[in-house]
Amino acid sequence: MLPGSIQISGETLSSAEVRDICAGLRENSVRLLSLRGCRLSERDFGHVCRGVAESHSLAQLNLNLGIVSNINRVKQLAEALKTNRSVQSLFLHGSPLTDAGLALLNPALSIHPSLVALDLGDCMLGDEGINLICGLLPPDGAKSGLKELTLSANPGVTSKGWGRLAIAVAHSSQLRVLNLDYNPLGDQVAGMLAVAVASSRTLEVLDLEGTGLTNQSAQTLLDMVENYPTALRTLILAENNISPELQQQISDLLSEGEEEEETEAREVTAREKNPWICQNNSSSQMVLMTSGLGDSLLAETEM
């Protein structure tokens, strides 16, 4: 039997229910645990963390919407993640971590061998928190790092912090999805992000919805997409003061690039089926390696 999932939203959990959850974790019968917006006692939260620590099957852990509500819970989660080796995706969206809480959690995150997706949206982070997150985006040739990062709705981060993140993204050899929606970024930060996208070899999805951008940002992003080779496939610009015409031009250029890759990928497949066709086209080989990376990491962790 394949490991299953436990998904509960907005409920008050009894001690008996928590015991059942922990039993499933220890028996390695749970691959996805989502307790989104649930209420449970401090003692029961500790039991869940110990179950997470002992699980070898758990791949996705969703504690969104205030589950990790105080420093004591942050410490317990950090201890669990220091022992756990299986979690690939961790969602803490809407948790009042602050920079202090992330500092307690960061050592466990930085040494975790499997973590590739992290959601710290609406976690009351500032520049110090961003500095810690940049450590989870190691430069080319270093250890593996995050592939998917969500930092939505953290208005306490300044342009200095976002600039630091842009530098890390530019040199990250892993990151392919970055969600920065509903942060007051403005045109200056958008310009730094455009440079980062142009430098990145892997970033495919960038969400800038509702980030205070204008046509100035859009023109910079359009120039980047039009004139520089990039892995970018999806750029979300909704709810900004950007003209529909500029948004459509950017979308059309990204679509053209995707169509070209699909054509080249088909050509690579044809060459593989026919060994008499020359396979020395390096650009086609690169397309083959990167094709399909737009799929969600959540789909990758399902069995």
Side-chain angles (χ1 to χ4, degrees), residues 47-64:
H47 289 325
V48 170
C49 285
R50 285 190 286 277
V52 168
E54 295 177 24
S55 176
H56 301 294
S57 64
L58 186 65
Q60 299 179 44
L61 179 59
N62 184 332
L63 299 176
N64 284 351

Side-chain angles (χ1 to χ4, degrees), residues 30-75:
V30 178
R31 187 169 178 81
L32 164 62
L33 174 61
S34 176
L35 302 179
R36 185 174 180 273
C38 289
R39 297 168 293 278
L40 64 165
S41 69
E42 294 296 316
R43 181 179 179 181
D44 284 340
F45 181 84
H47 289 325
V48 170
C49 285
R50 285 190 286 277
V52 168
E54 295 177 24
S55 176
H56 301 294
S57 64
L58 186 65
Q60 299 179 44
L61 179 59
N62 184 332
L63 299 176
N64 284 351
L65 301 183
I67 302 294
V68 187
S69 55
N70 55 55
I71 289 296
N72 184 54
R73 292 192 176 192
V74 173
K75 291 178 180 177

Side-chain angles (χ1 to χ4, degrees), residues 97-254:
L97 288 182
T98 73
D99 290 351
L102 184 57
L104 293 173
L105 192 60
N106 185 66
L109 299 178
S110 62
I111 65 171
H112 199 285
S114 302
L115 188 68
V116 292
L118 180 63
D119 186 343
L120 295 177
D122 194 17
C123 282
M124 303 173 64
L125 301 180
D127 289 355
E128 289 304 314
I130 294 298
N131 286 340
L132 295 172
I133 291 167
C134 289
L136 304 176
L137 303 174
D140 290 355
K143 63 179 181 179
S144 61
L146 295 177
K147 296 182 180 179
E148 190 169 326
L149 176 61
T150 296
L151 294 171
S152 315
N154 280 295
V157 180
T158 71
S159 58
K160 180 180 178 181
W162 294 126
R164 176 78 173 83
L165 180 69
I167 294 172
V169 170
H171 293 283
S172 171
S173 60
Q174 302 288 326
L175 194 67
R176 60 193 202 185
V177 178
L178 178 60
N179 299 311
L180 300 178
D181 47 314
Y182 299 105
N183 285 298
L185 303 181
D187 291 330
Q188 179 184 5
V189 173
M192 293 186 286
L193 289 171
V195 174
V197 172
S199 301
S200 171
R201 296 179 298 177
T202 60
L203 190 67
E204 292 192 344
V205 178
L206 178 60
D207 188 351
L208 298 177
E209 180 175 358
T211 51
L213 308 188
T214 70
N215 283 344
Q216 177 183 333
S217 299
Q219 188 62 56
T220 301
L221 292 164
L222 176 63
D223 291 343
M224 180 269 296
V225 172
E226 190 171 22
N227 297 307
Y228 295 91
T230 172
L232 194 67
R233 296 293 168 263
T234 301
L235 178 60
I236 302 172
L237 296 172
E239 296 190 33
N240 285 297
N241 190 23
I242 298 174
S243 69
E245 292 78 15
L246 274 174
Q247 292 195 49
Q248 189 61 51
Q249 289 181 59
I250 295 171
S251 177
D252 290 345
L253 283 171
L254 292 175

